[in-house]
Amino acid sequence: MGLPILLASSGPEAVAKASLLMAFYLPYEILASISLLTHYGSGSADLRDVVKRVIGNSLLLATVVGIAISLTPLEIPEAVLKTLLSPLTISLLLFLFQGKAF
């Protein structure tokens, strides 16, 4: 929600700078959050168990795959994008309705 507001108030240059900052900050934040929540949520003090759970976390795996895909010069076909974006859009709308965001 912050990037559209930033775009409207400050223009595309500010969005580009904010996107660069987010590109470096978000992977660290995701990794730190998953690590802490896994450690304290599971009650396990075993470092090996925590590392195994962090590596297998779906959010972290999706982030790594997304970064890898964005760095490759391959283009994703339009049909694949439409197929993937439809359920994502519906899920987002259902979440917003459930959370009474409207």
Side-chain angles (χ1 to χ4, degrees):
M1 186 105 177
L3 290 179
I5 293 172
L6 188 62
L7 178 63
S9 64
S10 302
E13 294 83 17
V15 172
K17 290 178 184 177
S19 297
L20 276 174
L21 288 173
M22 287 173 47
F24 289 102
Y25 178 70
L26 282 178
Y28 165 75
E29 183 179 332
I30 290 170
L31 185 59
S33 299
I34 292 170
S35 301
L36 289 172
L37 290 171
T38 300
H39 174 67
Y40 290 108
S42 69
S44 173
D46 184 27
L47 182 62
R48 183 175 291 161
D49 183 45
V50 172
V51 169
K52 190 186 311 182
R53 288 177 184 228
V54 168
I55 290 173
N57 186 283
S58 59
L59 178 61
L60 187 61
L61 292 174
T63 303
V64 170
V65 169
I67 290 171
I69 289 174
S70 70
L71 293 176
T72 62
L74 299 174
E75 291 290 324
I76 299 174
E78 188 69 27
V80 172
L81 285 176
K82 285 183 181 180
T83 303
L84 292 176
L85 291 179
S86 263
L88 293 175
T89 304
I90 292 169
S91 298
L92 177 61
L93 289 175
L94 289 174
F95 171 75
L96 292 175
F97 281 129
Q98 178 189 16
K100 297 175 180 59
F102 291 105

